[in-house]
């Protein structure tokens, strides 16, 4: 029988400050309510307020117990009858190091880890036409354009922090699928680090300079309409996504969000924070001395150097 669920993993701090994007609208009294699902009901707001302190880290399973969890998961995936026929079982990994990331992502619940493992390979078979061959050098332009950078320091709970500047993506030159493939390879590389498996990942999006044309292009794409990225983050990747933070967001960001929100689970929606230009609220999660200056912090401007190094690309 599968081993019982293990102890809880560390939790990211919950916020009562920068508002969630949980289908918000303003009520008659001016209060924020969680109603309305239409395009016009989406309001991007931010407000100051007190933030809850980080929760204490939970004790992980003992090494001997952890090996038992891994062995139980391996037995389940080797006899997985739920995997689609299109999944080539001969290329599926079942080594201990690989299986451990699925267990950590699901707090050592073996059955949920097995489901995630199955979804991981099913997603790749289902979207093979989009993902193609995942080779960093083939997507060199994704990492060098400056759209994504990796902070040298972790956030206040130990999460790795990725910073995005969507305005820098040359969408007239390259398809959005390149960006998706590049991001997936980057996530795979980050999750090889066991610290990132335990503490998770945090994303900060700076929408300064993003045009209405870019927003419409994203909203019209198959990636947005089919919710492929949402499927990846919520169902098919062994990572712990602890927060999605927007800064300098324009009103028209509601265009793609109105399409994506129906695909989000409540837990994921609750981890979306809209800060606007209230960088102090962002500082409740990440020390501003480590945040790039072009993201409202006190550090040097964001750079692609850390990403290129991580992906094994030569620096020019």
């Amino acid at each position: 029988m599968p081993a019982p669920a293990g102890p809880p993993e560390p939790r990211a701090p919950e916020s009562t400050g920068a508002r969630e994007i949980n289908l918000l609208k303003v009520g008659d009294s001016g209060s924020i309510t969680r109603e309305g699902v239409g395009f016009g009901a989406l309001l991007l707001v931010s407000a100051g307020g007190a933030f809850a302190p980080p929760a204490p880290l939970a004790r992980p399973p003992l090494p001997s117990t952890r090996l038992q969890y891994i062995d139980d998961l391996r037995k389940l995936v080797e006899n997985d009858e739920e995997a689609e026929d299109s999944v080539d079982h001969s290329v599926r990994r079942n080594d201990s190091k690989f299986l451990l990331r699925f267990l950590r992502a699901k707090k050592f619940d073996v059955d949920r880890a097995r489901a995630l493992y199955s979804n991981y390979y099913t997603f790749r078979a289902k979207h093979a036409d989009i993902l193609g061959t995942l080779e960093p050098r083939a997507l060199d332009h994704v990492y060098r354009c400056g759209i994504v950078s990796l902070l040298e320091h972790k956030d206040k709970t130990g999460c790795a922090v990725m910073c995005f500047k969507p305005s820098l993506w040359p969408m007239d030159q390259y398809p959005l699928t390149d960006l998706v493939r590049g991001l997936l390879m980057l996530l795979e590389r980050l999750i090889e680090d066991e610290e990132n498996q335990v503490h998770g990942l945090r994303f900060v999006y700076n929408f300064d300079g993003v045009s209405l044309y870019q927003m419409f292009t994203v909203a019209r794409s198959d990636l947005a309409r089919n919710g492929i990225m949402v499927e990846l983050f919520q169902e098919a990747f062994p990572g712990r996504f602890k927060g999605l933070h927007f800064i300098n967001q324009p009103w028209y960001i509601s265009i793609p969000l109105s399409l994506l929100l129906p695909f989000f689970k409540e837990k994921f929606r609750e981890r979306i924070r809209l800060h606007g230009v209230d960088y102090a609220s962002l500082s409740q999660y990440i020390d501003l001395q480590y945040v790039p200056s072009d993201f409202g912090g006190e550090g040097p401007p964001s750079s692609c150097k850390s990403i290129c190094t991580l992906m094994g690309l030569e620096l020019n």
Side-chain angles (χ1 to χ4, degrees):
M1 294 181 63
E9 287 282 292
R11 299 187 61 183
E14 295 296 331
S15 164
T16 58
R19 301 299 190 191
E20 304 165 1
I21 192 164
N22 205 1
L23 300 180
L24 302 177
K25 76 172 184 178
V26 178
D28 295 336
S29 64
S31 61
I32 301 296
T33 63
R34 297 168 184 267
E35 301 175 359
V37 295
F39 166 79
L42 291 171
L43 295 178
L44 308 185
V45 296
S46 63
F51 285 73
L57 298 181
R59 185 184 299 275
L62 295 174
S64 58
T65 306
R66 188 170 63 183
L67 290 175
Q68 183 61 54
Y69 286 127
I70 293 172
D71 186 55
D72 289 342
L73 178 57
R74 181 179 291 110
K75 292 176 182 177
L76 286 177
V77 301
E78 287 177 349
N79 298 283
D80 188 2
E81 297 179 354
E82 295 185 15
E84 293 188 358
D85 294 336
S86 58
V87 179
D88 184 353
H89 288 227
S90 66
V91 300
R92 299 198 307 176
R93 290 178 57 184
N94 65 354
D95 56 279
S96 297
K97 186 176 181 179
F98 187 68
L99 294 178
L100 182 57
R101 64 185 65 175
F102 291 90
L103 287 164
R104 283 173 168 153
K106 294 303 180 182
K107 303 178 182 179
F108 287 87
D109 183 318
V110 177
D111 289 327
R112 294 174 63 218
R114 192 277 310 158
L116 177 60
Y117 178 94
S118 178
N119 290 343
Y120 176 88
Y121 282 105
T122 298
F123 176 87
R124 280 151 182 75
K126 178 181 176 183
H127 301 294
D129 57 327
I130 294 176
L131 298 180
T133 301
L134 299 180
E135 169 55 46
R137 296 188 183 282
L139 295 170
D140 181 273
H141 54 282
V142 174
Y143 307 115
R144 295 192 187 278
C145 73
I147 189 174
V148 59
S149 58
L150 180 67
L151 296 194
E152 180 180 352
H153 297 271
K154 303 295 182 69
D155 77 355
K156 294 183 177 181
T157 60
C159 292
V161 181
M162 296 169 61
C163 296
F164 292 85
K165 296 184 72 174
S167 63
L168 296 182
W169 177 246
M171 59 175 51
D172 291 333
Q173 301 178 41
Y174 303 107
L176 284 173
T177 50
D178 279 8
L179 185 57
V180 172
R181 293 165 61 198
L183 176 58
L184 180 56
M185 282 191 290
L186 177 56
L187 291 175
E188 291 280 5
R189 190 64 58 86
L190 285 170
I191 211 66
E192 291 175 2
D193 186 333
E194 293 197 45
E195 288 293 318
N196 293 336
Q197 294 175 22
V198 173
H199 296 287
L201 307 171
R202 192 176 299 277
F203 304 91
V204 182
Y205 282 79
N206 182 359
F207 285 91
D208 186 34
V210 174
S211 68
L212 184 59
Y213 165 74
Q214 289 174 308
M215 286 291 97
F216 270 116
T217 301
V218 172
R220 293 198 307 264
S221 70
D222 291 336
L223 296 175
R225 290 198 299 266
N226 297 333
I228 292 175
M229 290 304 295
V230 179
E231 179 185 356
L232 171 65
F233 287 142
Q234 293 191 136
E235 306 290 348
F237 189 79
R240 306 184 67 191
F241 301 108
K242 308 302 289 186
L244 183 62
H245 302 261
F246 294 171
I247 64 173
N248 300 318
Q249 71 273 2
W251 64 267
Y252 43 79
I253 195 179
S254 56
I255 297 170
L257 284 178
S258 64
L259 297 173
L260 292 175
L261 278 175
F263 296 100
F264 286 134
K265 294 180 179 179
E266 181 178 1
K267 183 177 181 180
F268 198 91
R269 289 199 302 266
E270 290 175 349
R271 292 180 176 178
I272 300 177
R273 297 288 184 268
L274 302 172
H275 300 274
V277 295
D278 181 14
Y279 306 126
S281 61
L282 181 62
S283 72
Q284 303 298 321
Y285 296 92
I286 312 167
D287 195 323
L288 288 184
Q289 68 174 309
Y290 304 130
V291 175
S293 58
D294 48 333
F295 281 75
E298 303 166 2
S302 59
S303 167
C304 68
K305 291 182 179 179
S306 59
I307 294 295
C308 289
T309 300
L310 179 67
M311 301 308 294
L313 301 175
E314 296 181 0
L315 297 175
N316 294 330

